[in-house]
Amino acid sequence: MRSVVVADLSVATSSGVGADVAPAPGPVRAVLPGTVDVAIVGAGCSGLAAAVRLAEAEAAADVDAGVDAARTPSVLVLEGRSTPDPRSWCAWDDGSDPLAEARSASWDRWDVRTDRGTSTGSDPAHPYVLVRAADRRSAADRRISAGRRDTGGTVHIVDGAAVSAIVRTDDGCVVTSRLGTVRARQVLDARGPRCPDHVGAGRVLLHQRFVGQWVTADRPVFDTSTVTLMDFTGQDSAGPVRFVYVLPVSPTEALVESTLFTQDAADPFDHEAHVAGYVGRRWGLGPDEWRVVDEERGCIPMTDAPAQPDVRWSAAAAVVGTTRPSSGYGFARSNRHSAVVAQHLAAGTAVPPFVDGWRTRFLDAVFLRFLRDRPEQAAEAFRRLFALPGPLVVRFLSERSGPIDELRIVLALQKRPFLAALVRTVRDTVVRTRSRS
Ligand SMILES: Cc1cc2nc3c(=O)[nH]c(=O)nc-3n(C[C@H](O)[C@H](O)[C@H](O)COP(=O)(O)OP(=O)(O)OC[C@H]3O[C@@H](n4cnc5c(N)ncnc54)[C@H](O)[C@@H]3O)c2cc1C
């Protein structure tokens, strides 16, 4: 017996239309189940990772029928989008992605370019991999429907089901979506990171704003051997940190992304012009020799403030996505956390929030103050960081570094501005502690 299964997700289509004369596919409306064990709001990085891990727990439970009832919650993923997600993610492969088959490119080499020189790095054991969101979703659909076919799995994903409210009840929650209402024993908020408008005194908030354009060139100009993580060359060093990121997927195709770390909630920066100027400068392409075929844009919060849960949802839903405060990278850590999330959901226990270790919190707090207070020195700091051995840098960025690694990194960076940032961090901590007492 499965725990609770009312997952009739057959789609309601036009009645009476035979396959031979069926109209072109149009919008279909899913029929939501009345009750599920777990509702996941959002089929992005962490929502899909948790759903697939739960589907795999089901398959494992089927093998070991003795634990079936305890391990096979019925799961409904409610995704607001009804069109494919144009985004992509990159991360150093640490084996944490439960949908690794969706990756479409990988690189063993990366560089950081500045006016004072270029640092290159490599870590063959942990390549930098690209995952396009639409490919990942297809992979998840395949795995989940194979699970339903082979083991009678109970995980379903519904698109176009934007959730507007979650209300706690005595025995769980009521989730209201555009497609109807569902009762769930547990709810995950996997809606992704949101940039807060402000943070409390003694905290830092930088908005990482970016526009990434998938560019096609008429002639082969992109060097597919190397990802450019950050190119600061030719940037005006006054003002906030800004750089260009390049993912070359073929000699004629690349993602070229303009990125800005800013304290301003608004983004007046002309990212499109930044990309266009860069494409002309770096590869010598004239305006008629390349075009933009797709675009993604976003804002990732970089902050040492604790995650600010949505007050309307926080009593009812556990937040599962997470991004690293000092870098905005979130793909690998959200995937890692999804394993913990799935274990708790399968066991029916409360899902704990993701919490960084104290060393990561402290180092990130110092680095954020450095970026905010000394943006003109950021390029040099990243050049020095990436001049260190690739495996060391990747351990640090993937949150697998030890104290010796971190000491080597600290010693490689500029002394004065980082010392000032450290003093500022301690001062801010004292101010916050006093204001609480
Ligand atoms: C454009 C972009 C690119 C990024 N690139 C990288 C990268 O290359 N590497 C990296 O490590 N990190 C990257 N990040 C950081 C990123 O935040 C995390 O990697 C990761 O996406 C976080 O996962 P998540 O599941 O919390 O959120 P998301 O992956 O953003 O998923 C949220 C999902 O919830 C859906 N949703 C939102 N509101 C509702 C609602 N009310 N009802 C139902 N569904 C809803 C959204 O449509 C979306 O599908 C990127 C972020 C953005 C915005």
Side-chain angles (χ1 to χ4, degrees), residues 177-311:
S177 85
R178 208 168 67 80
L179 297 183
T181 296
V182 184
R183 306 183 81 83
R185 190 165 49 76
Q186 278 182 288
V187 182
L188 295 185
D189 178 357
R191 286 176 299 164
R194 287 168 293 279
C195 275
D197 294 335
H198 57 84
V199 289
R203 298 288 189 185
V204 179
L205 169 62
L206 294 174
H207 304 270
Q208 182 178 141
R209 296 191 175 279
F210 52 91
V211 174
Q213 298 193 320
W214 284 97
V215 164
T216 299
D218 290 346
R219 51 192 170 84
V221 289
F222 303 123
D223 169 8
T224 54
S225 71
T226 309
V227 165
T228 292
L229 293 175
M230 300 172 132
D231 190 339
F232 295 94
T233 55
Q235 307 291 326
D236 179 1
S237 63
V241 177
R242 54 174 176 262
F243 57 87
V244 176
Y245 170 73
V246 182
L247 287 178
V249 294
S250 84
T252 54
E253 292 161 290
L255 176 73
V256 184
E257 192 161 284
S258 159
T259 304
L260 180 74
F261 298 167
T262 172
Q263 291 187 74
D264 294 333
D267 183 6
F269 191 60
D270 188 346
H271 291 279
E272 286 81 358
H274 195 204
V275 169
Y278 185 83
V279 168
R281 215 171 45 247
R282 177 158 176 192
W283 296 291
L285 289 169
D288 299 335
E289 291 182 294
W290 64 282
R291 69 213 138 268
V292 175
V293 291
D294 210 345
E295 184 175 287
E296 65 177 42
R297 52 180 63 231
C299 176
I300 304 174
M302 297 167 70
T303 178
D304 62 342
Q308 295 180 339
D310 184 330
V311 285

Side-chain angles (χ1 to χ4, degrees), residues 46-259:
S46 55
L48 279 188
V52 167
R53 289 192 195 278
L54 283 164
E56 272 156 16
E58 278 180 348
D62 270 26
V63 173
D64 180 1
V67 292
D68 181 314
R71 277 178 153 198
T72 57
S74 52
V75 180
L76 179 64
V77 185
L78 297 152
E79 167 54 43
R81 298 184 66 92
S82 42
T83 54
D85 187 343
R87 289 180 306 166
S88 58
W89 296 282
C90 274
W92 284 277
D93 182 17
D94 61 357
S96 60
D97 185 359
L99 289 157
E101 70 269 29
R103 64 186 55 161
S104 51
S106 85
W107 296 265
D108 283 338
R109 204 176 128 93
W110 42 86
D111 65 22
V112 169
R113 299 164 163 242
T114 74
D115 291 329
R116 293 176 71 169
T118 296
S119 296
T120 52
S122 176
D123 179 0
H126 301 96
Y128 196 66
V129 296
L130 166 69
V131 180
R132 302 194 76 162
D135 294 340
R136 195 164 189 267
R137 171 60 191 272
S138 303
D141 286 343
R142 277 194 300 275
R143 291 250 215 127
I144 288 169
S145 42
R148 276 205 300 273
R149 199 178 52 238
D150 300 343
T151 64
T154 58
V155 179
H156 296 268
I157 307 177
V158 193
D159 293 315
V163 170
S164 53
I166 304 176
V167 176
R168 181 158 271 298
T169 60
D170 289 344
D171 57 349
C173 302
V174 175
V175 181
T176 305
S177 85
R178 208 168 67 80
L179 297 183
T181 296
V182 184
R183 306 183 81 83
R185 190 165 49 76
Q186 278 182 288
V187 182
L188 295 185
D189 178 357
R191 286 176 299 164
R194 287 168 293 279
C195 275
D197 294 335
H198 57 84
V199 289
R203 298 288 189 185
V204 179
L205 169 62
L206 294 174
H207 304 270
Q208 182 178 141
R209 296 191 175 279
F210 52 91
V211 174
Q213 298 193 320
W214 284 97
V215 164
T216 299
D218 290 346
R219 51 192 170 84
V221 289
F222 303 123
D223 169 8
T224 54
S225 71
T226 309
V227 165
T228 292
L229 293 175
M230 300 172 132
D231 190 339
F232 295 94
T233 55
Q235 307 291 326
D236 179 1
S237 63
V241 177
R242 54 174 176 262
F243 57 87
V244 176
Y245 170 73
V246 182
L247 287 178
V249 294
S250 84
T252 54
E253 292 161 290
L255 176 73
V256 184
E257 192 161 284
S258 159
T259 304

